[in-house]
Amino acid sequence: MGRRSWGRRLQQQQQQQQQRAGSAEDGGKRNGAGWEGGYPEIVKENKLFEHYYQELKIVPEGEWDQFMGALREPLPATLRITGYKSHAKEILHCLKNKYFKELEDLEVDGQKVEVPQPLSWYPEELAWHTNLSRKILRKSPQLEKFHQFLVSETESGNISRQEAVSMIPPLLLNAHPHHKILDMCAAPGSKTTQLIEMLHADMNVPFPEGFVIANDVDNRRCYLLVHQAKRLGSPCIMVVNHDASCIPRLQVDVNGRKEILFYDRILCDVPCSGDGTMRKNVDVWKKWSALNSLQLHGLQLRIATRGAEQLVEGGRMVYSTCSLNPIEDEAVIASLLEKSEGALELADVSSELPGLKWVPGLSQWKVMTKDGQWFTSWDDVPHNRHTQIRPTMFPPKDPEKLQAMHLERCLRILPHHQNTGGFFVAVLVKKASMLWNKRPPKLQGELAEPRAPVPPSPAEPMAGCTSDTSELESKLAPGISDTGAVERAENMDSSGSKRDGVCGPPPSKKMKLFGFKEDPFVFIPEDDPLFPPIQKFYALDPSFPKTNLLTRTTEGKKRQLYMVSKELRNVLLNNSERMKVINTGIKVWCRNNSGEEFDCAFRLAQEGIYTLYPFINSRIITVSIEDVQVLLTQENPFFRKLSSEAYSQVKDMAKGSVVLKYEPDPTKPDTLQCPIVLCGWRGKASVRTFVPRNERLHYLRMMGLEVPVGKRGGAPCGAGAHQPAGGRRAGAGSPLERNTGRVRAAPRSRKSGPVLSKRPARTPPQAGTRRRLACPGEPRGPRRGCPEDQI
């Protein structure tokens, strides 16, 4: 640094010191004037907002003051326990008997902390809420242990800190393990994880018939979605990156014939103005305007229409927003019902969530401009306003048609009824094919003759979307059936140069301009020499679906193997040119650099062990609860430190990757009552586990062990008391090393286990933050949370 630069910096520092001194002499006048921490206090008032909703009468008579009072209060923290995992009951028991009891008679900033209560309408007490706001939960020293528990369990996928009203749409979707589900606007993924849970309702079925395709238009938010979904370790989730309003229609192979993929369940949680989130996003108070809803209405209607087109007959679609505005809510539903001409109907779900308080949807509403001018019908709108206000924003004129829609079946959740955010939900059932999708069947053997293009009808809202080749083909030739269009589209897309089993990213140059370049998805051929050693080493069951294995590289050594369900494999192979896949599959094996000497070059990955375990018939070590504690708190425990039963199994076993299985003892109800499957490595004289840090902490908590973690991520209590085997240097610590985000790799030693790739130590996130884990092919870019779900 030059002398002049140094002088300028000194002068700037002196000026800053004088300014701070002047502020101190003011005696805190800024705080008295509404300044706190250097930022102006946000005034939670908006006269236009109050005028708008009072005029629309969305709040029952006499409840306006309670409604506004609730909006000005901070939103309470809510959490949901992952229900499909076998240890959900153990987490619930731990919460009730330990962490919730510690909150009794506790005061924070002069406010008594209420003991968390279960949400009355959520099944099996798997969702809880408290009067603690996010800010208090993050900053209060008295709640540090509880907050660390929430952060750690969230990273492990066992708990989701999710807003209460955000849990409603997946519940009303009523999904089952055999359903094919589309989540149209999925990021950041809280609702998507609920849908994955519903697929895996039976943990004994590793590959349910259904799947979830989670889509988002924002490429960067797709990676946040991947991170959320990966916590649950499912082979039945695929993340794609498309504009939901023209998401491509996919095809699948059914008995050698190409058919269009229709979804059994569709979640349509559209982008919205978000005025129901005022309790959490205080910026909405000053930014609210009626113009926001007017600008979003068209997009919301297009997305909902596209979802209805791809819904199977008899299927269910849930439309939801975190907005209270009927322009974004009832107006979209009414317009969609009117265009469908009986193909869609609103379902009566008033009895499906007992305990949930809601008000019925509106049947009459008005439209207001940005400057406060009201219009009751489209006929009243002047011509110069036609670009801003559309006919679909008004309720239908025909009273009989309006009554037949049953808009009162929509649910509007108001903040003051159950201390939540504001929300809107509508459940639609498809009774018949959409009017503009009906095509006469194609005669067998008839050659399609070229016809003149048919002009788009008013009932065809997707006329401007040409990203779907099959739909465009069917529009240009109305006499061609959907199946015929798909077959012709396939011929148009196939160039003959595509290699079998390789599902690369779309070749379109336009796609490469946006987002990050993705690695291809390459399925392992049945005759690949890579698989027989794996099958022999782990004695895989003959029913193991080896054709579902894939990698993310076409050249060089395959370093990691992933697995998808049979149904998602079908989708990938038949649509690689139509959709941009960000991520799919679950990691089941990782290449070990020195694995060849152990007869198998791949070790098991903890991420996919629960999916893989049912097919493994060898290298399984049954361990006791004491063995689990030793394995999770010591780096390389010698065989002699294990129980006699475990020792007798491991002493004669060859070196290499092993499965460590704990089965609960029903005669000992005080011990852990859920099965545990861990990945390990059998070395020369010791055995170790390959388990991520947060998962280790989870299992130790479930066993009742105290796990104090420092602000910088220290090891659990007792973990550092055991000196690791193999002569580790002093201060190395335990598997849960300080300042590392994952289990440390074994040192390069002839006596140790596998040699893993070295990673630099990384500081764990501070309280209230989340680390972003890298996924296959994922670049490390910034991410952006969703105001509705992120807590």
Side-chain angles (χ1 to χ4, degrees):
M1 182 180 292
R3 187 174 299 177
R4 293 182 179 178
S5 299
W6 182 254
R8 283 196 299 269
R9 173 166 292 186
L10 286 177
Q11 187 176 2
Q12 290 175 356
Q13 291 177 352
Q14 291 174 358
Q15 291 175 355
Q16 291 173 359
Q17 290 175 358
Q18 292 174 359
Q19 291 174 358
R20 285 195 292 267
S23 300
E25 292 175 359
D26 289 342
K29 290 181 182 179
R30 283 187 176 181
N31 289 336
W35 286 76
E36 185 174 344
Y39 294 95
E41 182 181 352
I42 295 178
V43 179
K44 296 181 179 180
E45 285 188 9
N46 189 310
K47 296 299 181 184
L48 195 60
F49 170 86
E50 296 188 40
H51 168 69
Y52 182 75
Y53 283 116
Q54 279 182 321
E55 187 73 20
L56 292 177
K57 295 181 171 56
I58 67 164
V59 180
E61 193 72 26
E63 298 182 15
W64 181 258
D65 291 339
Q66 295 104 316
F67 169 73
M68 292 302 299
L71 284 179
R72 294 186 175 99
E73 292 294 324
L75 187 70
T78 50
L79 60 93
R80 178 175 56 82
I81 300 173
T82 302
Y84 82 94
K85 292 191 175 179
S86 57
H87 45 246
K89 292 182 179 179
E90 296 294 329
I91 298 175
L92 183 58
H93 181 268
C94 183
L95 276 170
K96 282 183 174 181
N97 294 279
K98 182 179 179 183
Y99 292 98
F100 289 169
K101 285 187 178 297
E102 293 177 358
L103 299 181
E104 295 178 358
D105 303 323
L106 183 65
E107 288 190 6
V108 177
D109 295 339
Q111 180 183 2
K112 189 178 186 302
V113 176
E114 296 178 5
V115 177
Q117 298 296 323
L119 295 176
S120 59
W121 44 268
Y122 203 95
E124 302 180 19
E125 290 191 344
L126 292 179
W128 293 72
H129 72 102
T130 175
N131 67 331
L132 296 169
S133 67
R134 293 178 298 160
K135 181 179 178 180
I136 292 177
L137 196 57
R138 291 173 176 176
K139 300 295 178 63
S140 174
Q142 301 100 308
L143 300 172
E144 184 177 3
K145 187 184 298 185
F146 181 46
H147 184 254
Q148 287 173 350
F149 167 81
L150 294 180
V151 172
S152 177
E153 293 297 325
T154 299
E155 286 296 332
S156 299
N158 302 308
I159 279 179
S160 175
R161 291 182 288 164
Q162 180 180 354
E163 188 177 344
V165 291
S166 174
M167 306 175 192
I168 297 173
L171 292 178
L172 292 178
L173 206 59
N174 193 24
H176 295 284
H178 63 278
H179 283 154
K180 300 173 179 63
I181 307 171
L182 172 64
D183 191 351
M184 300 189 75
C185 308
S190 305
K191 301 179 187 68
T192 308
T193 57
Q194 272 183 275
L195 298 175
I196 297 173
E197 292 175 27
M198 295 174 183
L199 286 182
H200 294 274
D202 186 357
M203 278 295 290
N204 296 320
V205 180
F207 295 101
E209 294 181 14
F211 55 78
V212 177
I213 294 181
N215 173 71
D216 200 84
V217 67
D218 190 322
N219 184 266
R220 294 182 183 272
R221 284 163 61 87
C222 283
Y223 294 104
L224 175 60
L225 179 59
V226 170
H227 173 52
Q228 292 273 47
K230 284 292 180 182
R231 294 169 175 168
L232 275 71
S234 171
C236 305
I237 171 71
M238 178 188 293
V239 178
V240 298
N241 179 207
H242 288 281
D243 180 357
S245 64
C246 53
I247 188 170
R249 175 172 291 172
L250 306 181
Q251 64 184 40
V252 289
D253 189 302
V254 180
N255 298 323
R257 179 180 175 180
K258 297 293 188 296
E259 293 187 4
I260 294 174
L261 173 62
F262 289 98
Y263 300 94
D264 303 297
R265 297 288 187 267
I266 293 181
L267 179 57
C268 188
D269 186 56
V270 296
C272 63
S273 60
D275 57 17
T277 67
M278 282 181 161
R279 303 184 66 178
K280 184 169 57 177
N281 304 313
V282 291
D283 285 345
V284 179
W285 283 98
K286 62 179 181 180
K287 293 180 180 178
W288 186 92
S289 169
L291 183 62
N292 298 336
S293 299
L294 301 179
Q295 293 174 337
L296 286 166
H297 170 84
L299 173 63
Q300 293 163 340
L301 180 56
R302 291 195 301 273
I303 294 175
T305 304
R306 189 57 175 161
E309 288 175 350
Q310 302 212 20
L311 188 65
V312 73
E313 291 185 25
R316 176 179 282 205
M317 182 175 83
V318 172
Y319 175 89
S320 62
T321 73
C322 49
S323 169
L324 302 173
N325 200 322
I327 307 301
E328 304 177 61
D329 300 337
E330 287 91 346
V332 174
I333 297 299
S335 179
L336 185 59
L337 291 173
E338 187 173 15
K339 291 179 178 180
S340 72
E341 297 190 11
L344 299 173
E345 76 172 18
L346 273 171
D348 184 1
V349 294
S350 56
S351 60
E352 293 193 12
L353 293 180
L356 178 65
K357 295 180 180 179
W358 50 276
V359 295
L362 303 176
S363 57
Q364 293 293 333
W365 62 88
K366 299 183 291 184
V367 178
M368 189 181 79
T369 61
K370 181 181 179 181
D371 51 5
Q373 184 180 2
W374 289 96
F375 299 103
T376 56
S377 69
W378 171 249
D379 298 334
D380 301 332
V381 180
H383 185 75
N384 63 344
R385 295 280 190 178
H386 282 188
T387 56
Q388 185 182 94
I389 300 176
R390 304 300 301 155
T392 54
M393 297 178 182
F394 295 91
K397 291 182 179 180
D398 189 348
E400 293 184 3
K401 185 183 292 186
L402 181 62
Q403 186 177 1
M405 290 181 178
H406 295 290
L407 292 178
E408 71 278 359
R409 293 178 179 176
C410 300
L411 312 182
R412 181 175 273 103
I413 291 90
L414 299 178
H416 64 290
H417 283 165
Q418 287 180 303
N419 197 16
T420 64
F423 210 69
F424 175 87
V425 190
V427 181
L428 295 158
V429 177
K430 191 171 184 179
K431 295 297 185 181
S433 179
M434 303 299 283
L435 184 66
W436 54 89
N437 280 348
K438 292 180 180 178
R439 306 288 182 220
K442 178 183 177 182
L443 297 178
Q444 293 294 331
E446 178 187 0
L447 295 177
E449 298 180 0
R451 302 190 182 192
V454 178
S457 64
E460 195 167 346
M462 299 307 301
C465 177
T466 60
S467 66
D468 187 351
T469 311
S470 62
E471 188 174 27
L472 176 63
E473 187 74 14
S474 65
K475 287 176 182 176
L476 293 177
I480 299 177
S481 66
D482 284 342
T483 305
V486 169
E487 290 173 352
R488 289 189 56 179
E490 182 192 21
N491 294 332
M492 292 168 58
D493 289 342
S494 299
S495 60
S497 61
K498 181 180 173 183
R499 286 170 288 177
D500 292 337
V502 179
C503 307
S508 169
K509 293 182 179 179
K510 186 176 180 180
M511 273 292 189
K512 295 181 181 178
L513 297 176
F514 305 99
F516 304 104
K517 182 180 179 182
E518 287 294 331
D519 295 325
F521 298 85
V522 185
F523 284 95
I524 304 296
E526 290 194 37
D527 58 350
D528 195 312
L530 173 145
F531 184 71
I534 297 176
Q535 188 172 25
K536 180 181 178 181
F537 190 73
Y538 297 102
L540 296 179
D541 193 85
S543 63
F544 178 76
K546 60 181 180 181
T547 56
N548 296 0
L549 287 173
L550 61 87
T551 63
R552 298 298 301 270
T553 179
T554 54
E555 300 176 357
K557 281 189 175 182
K558 301 174 178 64
R559 299 194 174 277
Q560 294 175 332
L561 300 182
Y562 304 88
M563 176 166 280
V564 296
S565 65
K566 178 181 67 175
E567 289 74 15
L568 276 187
R569 180 182 186 272
N570 193 349
V571 174
L572 264 175
L573 289 176
N574 289 286
N575 300 279
S576 63
E577 304 296 325
R578 289 180 175 83
M579 60 181 183
K580 183 179 180 183
V581 180
I582 300 298
N583 199 278
T584 190
I586 180 175
K587 182 165 60 179
V588 289
W589 278 294
C590 302
R591 179 178 288 275
N592 177 41
N593 293 340
S594 57
E596 285 80 359
E597 63 181 276
F598 303 115
D599 301 326
C600 181
F602 288 87
R603 66 172 179 85
L604 298 166
Q606 181 68 27
E607 181 181 325
I609 189 60
Y610 284 95
T611 299
L612 203 59
Y613 173 74
F615 301 99
I616 298 176
N617 293 316
S618 81
R619 306 197 61 79
I620 299 175
I621 303 171
T622 304
V623 294
S624 65
I625 191 69
E626 292 79 16
D627 294 331
V628 175
Q629 181 176 342
V630 170
L631 290 165
L632 293 179
T633 56
Q634 299 185 32
E635 183 81 11
N636 280 308
F638 288 112
F639 297 155
R640 290 292 183 185
K641 291 190 176 183
L642 302 178
S643 62
S644 57
E645 293 82 3
Y647 174 76
S648 62
Q649 298 173 66
V650 74
K651 66 182 179 65
D652 297 326
M653 191 175 289
K655 294 180 182 179
S657 188
V658 295
V659 178
L660 303 162
K661 177 66 184 292
Y662 163 74
E663 287 287 354
D665 187 353
T667 63
K668 299 179 180 178
D670 294 336
T671 59
L672 189 64
Q673 290 299 303
C674 65
I676 296 177
V677 183
L678 306 174
C679 291
W681 185 270
R682 196 272 193 200
K684 184 177 181 180
S686 63
V687 63
R688 65 170 299 175
T689 55
F690 290 111
V691 181
R693 175 177 175 274
N694 284 317
E695 201 163 336
R696 286 177 181 262
L697 294 173
H698 161 72
Y699 289 131
L700 291 173
R701 286 193 190 97
M702 295 304 102
M703 289 187 290
L705 296 181
E706 186 67 25
V707 191
V709 181
K711 291 184 178 180
R712 293 182 59 83
C717 181
H722 307 278
Q723 179 66 23
R728 293 288 299 273
R729 65 188 183 279
S734 69
L736 303 169
E737 295 286 348
R738 177 178 290 273
N739 296 340
T740 61
R742 60 185 68 198
V743 181
R744 284 188 65 169
R748 188 177 294 274
S749 170
R750 295 180 181 177
K751 296 184 179 181
S752 67
V755 180
L756 304 183
S757 59
K758 294 183 179 180
R759 295 180 181 269
R762 293 185 293 174
T763 305
Q766 299 297 323
T769 63
R770 298 176 178 175
R771 182 195 313 286
R772 181 163 178 259
L773 302 180
C775 302
E778 174 187 354
R780 295 196 173 271
R783 58 181 168 86
R784 179 163 53 93
C786 172
E788 180 197 339
D789 292 333
Q790 189 174 352
I791 295 184

